Amino acid sequence: MHFTSTRSRQDVTSAQAIARGLAEDGGLFIPCEFPKISAEQIDRMVGMDYKARAREVLALYLTDFSADEIARSVDAAYTGTFDQENPAPLVELAPGLNILELWHGPTCAFKDMALQLLPHLLTISARKAAPGRTMVILTATSGDTGKAALDGFADVPGTRIIVFYPQNGVSAMQKLQMVTQKGDNVAVCAIEGNFDDAQNGVKKIFADREMKEYLNARNMEFSSANSINFGRLVPQIVYYVSAYCDLIRLGRLRRGESFNVAVPTGNFGNILAAVYAREMGIPIARLICASNRNNVLTDFIRTGVYDRNRPFYTTTSPSMDILISSNLERMLSLLYNGDTAAVAGLMEQLARTGRYSIAPEVREKLQAEFYGGFCDDAGTAETIGATFRNHRYLCDPHTAVALNVYEQYRRETGDDTPCVLASTASPFKFAAAVLPAIQSGKLPADEFGMVAKLAEVSGIPVPKPLAGLKDLPVLHTGCVTKEKMNQFIRDFLG
């Protein structure tokens, strides 16, 4: 299996793609072709546990990794790190609607599914592609990636990790999780701006020649824990393949029968993993792309015009507060059948004008595959409350956005195809939004009071990773303008 860039023809191994994170031309690494999963493989995988399924899927992409390297990585990632043996269980909320819970890991967010595995894949990749060099993991976060990456890479030999987050763009719990992270190789820094500012700043630093020379002089090399890194994306493909196997195992779907997938998304990585699973042969019919008030993806799917020149809103679903969806570039490559010049041209337009439009025939293809919808904060709160009242199921604001948009889709289309809906975070990470949605009255004054009250009202215990945060010391933090991100990195690396 070889990889190329979305913007020009390249030929790199999976280890090189993971170690580099971002292609030199600024594009994203994509597989030159998609491996296929046979019916016989599916029949075998139905009877496997999650780790065995992960080994099967990863081996199809990471062909320059040995079976032992993959097995050791998977076992280290998913053994004893999640709160149950199956890290991605399916909960049947209603007939035909299956909630894929992806938040049972150490940071209570779906990013753990990939970021418990990525450090192992990256260290192996570095030994193959950049032997002897320290990998500097540079990451922007809209909330959940930061903590998951910090937790995954903390004290991993041969790595340093720096996370930038928008100062006023994450929940109180998300911020506390990041700034209390232990580890001699970790640093966390707020920036004065939103997530797009942080993400653009990181991309510019990746391309900065002086910074590359600075790192090279210290025998260091940048990589990324964001979903621009294919090593982040491939573990996410696994859980959609696994969900299909579980639907069959549980008797909710016959092999070969199609199902829809609904995903709350901002950066487009989580839903893109479902697209890649479909390219491998998983019978996913319609992809339901759910946005919050920052509905740039909804407008793109409905009109074929991507336009980030619009107001930016801070919402109760902050991990989706994004106007520049980096992984959409990989989807464009698929829609344009690998035409690198076309994709590079669209990305140049986006950088120069903040917008681009796709050809009419490409728009038709997009709309045949995707449904785009959005939900504001009022709709999110209403959905959290209704889901708890009707099903005694407590969901976080991001999952609620997906549930709301899924219901919009059902009403508009009448489509009753079975659906897998990605639930991306524990509701306790967003107690300030979840608690008032299920109970009226005066709220506790602080975040941890709200967490305790939410546990009392719902009858659900607080996840252990969140319960003791308030007693941890704050470590390795700063706050800078986006122009000063370079200097923060230099100060940390020494």
Side-chain angles (χ1 to χ4, degrees), residues 318-383:
S319 296
M320 299 159 66
D321 291 347
I322 295 170
L323 292 180
I324 303 175
S325 303
S326 290
N327 265 289
L328 188 58
E329 184 172 342
R330 286 186 167 114
M331 189 66 220
L332 290 172
S333 181
L334 276 176
L335 291 168
Y336 278 87
N337 298 314
D339 186 338
T340 56
V343 174
L346 293 173
M347 293 301 97
E348 192 277 331
Q349 287 180 46
L350 182 65
R352 182 168 45 84
T353 68
R355 71 190 303 275
Y356 61 81
S357 60
I358 56 177
E361 64 274 14
V362 177
R363 183 183 68 241
E364 290 178 9
K365 183 178 179 182
L366 173 72
Q367 291 171 342
E369 299 178 8
F370 286 86
Y371 171 88
F374 73 98
C375 171
D376 62 15
D377 283 356
T380 301
E382 183 180 342
T383 302

Side-chain angles (χ1 to χ4, degrees), residues 195-233:
F195 169 74
D196 291 327
D197 294 320
Q199 183 169 248
N200 285 337
V202 165
K203 286 182 177 179
K204 288 180 181 177
I205 292 167
F206 262 89
D208 188 307
R209 186 174 298 277
E210 287 187 10
M211 183 58 79
K212 287 181 180 179
E213 292 173 355
Y214 175 87
L215 291 178
N216 193 51
R218 289 158 178 77
N219 203 27
M220 295 177 173
E221 187 169 320
F222 275 140
S223 190
S224 175
N226 283 102
S227 55
I228 58 173
N229 192 321
F230 191 81
R232 258 284 302 276
L233 188 59

Side-chain angles (χ1 to χ4, degrees), residues 57-107:
V57 175
L58 292 174
L60 296 174
Y61 285 97
L62 310 181
T63 53
D64 52 330
F65 284 59
S66 70
D68 182 62
E69 287 171 332
I70 291 173
R72 284 189 286 107
S73 298
V74 168
D75 288 346
Y78 301 121
T79 302
T81 50
F82 287 72
D83 64 14
Q84 56 182 55
E85 186 175 346
N86 180 3
L90 275 178
V91 175
E92 190 173 37
L93 188 67
L97 178 56
N98 302 273
I99 306 298
L100 179 61
E101 293 185 342
L102 300 171
W103 39 262
H104 289 277
T107 76

Side-chain angles (χ1 to χ4, degrees), residues 253-268:
L253 205 68
R254 294 186 298 272
R255 183 167 64 76
E257 187 178 1
S258 296
F259 64 103
N260 294 334
V261 169
V263 185
T265 190
N267 220 8
F268 208 77

Side-chain angles (χ1 to χ4, degrees), residues 137-156:
I137 315 302
L138 198 58
T139 299
T141 185
S142 55
D144 288 331
T145 288
K147 173 58 179 179
L150 291 163
D151 185 87
F153 280 96
D155 292 326
V156 171

